[in-house]
Amino acid sequence: MPHIDTLPAGALDIIGDIHGEYAALQQLLGHLGYRPDGSHPQGRRLVFVGDLVDRGNDVPAVLDWFMRAHAAGYAQMVLGNHEINLLLGDAKPGSGWYFAQRADKDAADFAPWQHYPAAGKATLHRFLAAQPLVLERDDLRIVHAAWLPAAIARLRAAPDDGLVANHRRWEKALAEEAGQQPWYPAWQAEEARDGDLHDPGHAPAYRPATAARDSYYSRGNPVRALTCGSESPATAPHYAGGRWRFVERTPWWQDYRDAPAVVIGHYWRRWRGDHSLFPCPPQHWFGARHNVFCCDYAVGARWRDRKAGIAPQRSAYRLAALRWPEKTLVFDDGETVATL
């Protein structure tokens, strides 16, 4: 089935967004009892929730290790939004390890890092393009950001001609239909009238039509919806991802009522401190049936630690694995915590 694959039976270790933090990954695997090749003496299997790439200091090592473990049958992944960006040739901040046009822009924040060898890029692209967006079995579902039934249904019905082709087909359809949307004339006026949205020091006036447009695009493409999550108009502008935004993430789990548990990444959950999307302690499940869990604990922000001279042992940003069916968390420093 295009873009959807099956989880193996048995015990799993589901690892949150790595973002190129190879040292943290290897430490975590050691605490989980895995051998260097990704095999486990008790037959456990690894599953990664996406965003293996960008921001970290050794993305190539993460990818090379994963591709070997995957080829040996020890590991699976779902694609995250950062892998989608790579496949589309969309050079976003933190991708200078791969895109030469980003290297100079990103160096101030993310260097020193390892660059991916040009000779291996075609092979990497083919490998990532063949990975699923969804993994599932009777008791468990894994997706990068959001389990949205309408988007899942469209994936199941999609032509089997490749992820990139389907993504572009859906984007083209959205663009062709945008002109008939009620917000379109007002959005054109906002674009013509208002200034740059990339200056963090200058908050723009709220743009309701831009909010409506961004919400429309976030929901209309199944690839975008599942790897980024759907968005709704916000109450005020906020600066994120290098620009002012007028939409906010939608807590889709409040409407999720199916029996299988869902495990996601993407949302940079905090082990210490509040998180606006998750009004519960960081080891808690959430959602309408209390069966959704985010195992991304923001290790992708460790580039900030390197800039500040903070050692990994003192980092507020962590890499975690959710053990299934035990429902325990194991962190890269070896701490183990029961989820609730």
Side-chain angles (χ1 to χ4, degrees), residues 87-208:
L87 290 171
L88 296 174
D90 191 358
K92 294 285 181 67
S95 63
W97 64 276
Y98 184 87
F99 292 109
Q101 64 267 40
R102 283 286 337 174
D104 290 342
K105 297 177 184 178
D106 286 349
D109 285 331
F110 303 108
W113 52 21
Q114 297 299 315
H115 293 264
Y116 206 81
K121 287 184 177 180
T123 298
L124 174 62
H125 195 281
R126 286 193 297 271
F127 174 81
L128 291 176
Q131 301 310 303
L133 291 166
V134 174
L135 289 166
E136 61 180 356
R137 68 187 198 193
D138 289 346
D139 63 333
L140 185 62
R141 296 166 169 174
I142 297 176
V143 66
H144 182 64
W147 185 275
L148 302 171
I152 298 292
R154 293 179 71 188
L155 277 192
R156 296 191 194 280
D160 193 8
D161 57 355
L163 175 69
V164 172
N166 278 318
H167 184 285
R168 289 178 173 158
R169 183 181 298 113
W170 285 318
E171 287 292 290
K172 181 181 179 183
L174 286 171
E176 289 173 348
E177 296 167 8
Q180 284 72 56
Q181 302 302 313
W183 45 261
Y184 191 80
W187 169 73
Q188 287 184 307
E190 288 176 356
E191 286 287 290
R193 180 181 67 246
D194 298 330
D196 179 45
L197 295 178
H198 297 277
D199 181 0
H202 180 69
Y206 185 72
R207 301 187 187 181

Side-chain angles (χ1 to χ4, degrees), residues 230-298:
S230 61
E231 296 176 316
S232 300
T235 56
H238 62 100
Y239 194 82
R243 64 186 289 267
W244 287 95
R245 300 179 184 273
F246 309 92
V247 290
E248 59 189 5
R249 290 166 168 169
T250 303
W252 58 268
W253 44 83
Q254 293 179 359
D255 298 315
Y256 179 75
R257 290 178 169 81
D258 292 353
V262 178
V263 180
I264 56 174
H266 185 62
Y267 293 100
W268 286 44
R269 202 172 190 179
R270 302 292 190 270
W271 187 248
R272 294 191 293 273
D274 295 331
H275 193 295
S276 59
L277 271 178
F278 307 127
C280 60
Q283 74 274 33
H284 280 217
W285 294 74
F286 46 85
R289 291 187 58 161
H290 202 66
N291 64 346
V292 178
F293 197 89
C294 176
C295 63
D296 173 20
Y297 288 91

Side-chain angles (χ1 to χ4, degrees), residues 6-12 45-47 73 76 135-137 139-140:
T6 303
L7 282 166
L12 305 174
R45 293 278 298 275
L46 290 162
V47 182
Q76 291 176 278
L135 289 166
E136 61 180 356
R137 68 187 198 193
D139 63 333
L140 185 62

